[in-house]
Amino acid sequence: MSMLDQAGHITAALLLRRIEAELGGCRRLLAKIETTVETMLSRGPVAADDPLHVSEMQNIDLLDQSLADLILCLQELASAPPMGTALPLRVAHITRRLRLADLRDRLGGRITPAERGDDVELF
């Protein structure tokens, strides 16, 4: 269920809380990558086709894309009317340049495949 009104508007405060949650997720992903890299280094050379290697390389790419998209979202938010006088924001406008559909959906309050328990999509 979405927290948007029928016109797709969202308060700046709610959008900022969702961005905060996404950044927290990025930090957790980075901690997981760090732990995995430490494990890989302690085990010695890891084959390029090792499932651990493949999974963490994808996590690094996902982290990079997520952070890049959050920067775009914050750029759009910064160009919105001043927060103190801002009317609810059109979330589709704020998230229009984001490349990651799951991130765009989460910021818009929509449930993503990961939250439904679906399998991870490899890219």
Side-chain angles (χ1 to χ4, degrees):
M1 172 140 191
S2 175
M3 297 292 290
L4 302 176
D5 66 17
Q6 290 180 347
H9 290 82
I10 187 172
T11 65
L14 180 56
L15 181 58
L16 288 171
R17 282 194 297 274
R18 288 179 181 163
I19 291 171
E20 176 187 12
E22 289 299 322
L23 290 171
C26 287
R27 289 190 71 205
R28 288 187 297 278
L29 187 57
L30 184 57
K32 182 179 169 190
I33 292 167
E34 179 183 24
T35 300
T36 302
V37 169
E38 287 173 359
T39 301
M40 294 165 100
L41 290 173
S42 68
R43 285 184 9 191
V46 179
D49 62 348
D50 183 304
L52 184 64
H53 180 271
V54 172
S55 171
E56 289 315 308
M57 294 307 106
Q58 289 175 335
N59 280 338
I60 291 169
D61 186 55
L62 176 59
L63 179 60
D64 176 60
Q65 290 183 52
S66 295
L67 290 172
D69 271 358
L70 288 170
I71 288 168
L72 292 174
C73 187
L74 289 172
Q75 288 171 344
E76 293 295 334
L77 187 57
S79 69
M83 293 295 181
T85 60
L87 296 174
L89 303 165
R90 226 174 124 246
V91 74
H93 175 77
I94 299 295
T95 61
R96 72 179 188 261
R97 296 192 299 158
L98 276 56
R99 297 169 295 175
L100 298 173
D102 284 349
L103 177 58
R104 191 172 38 252
D105 288 345
R106 287 191 303 273
L107 292 177
R110 292 177 291 281
I111 296 174
T112 64
E115 292 168 331
R116 288 191 304 257
D118 295 350
D119 291 333
V120 174
E121 180 180 324
L122 300 178
F123 48 93

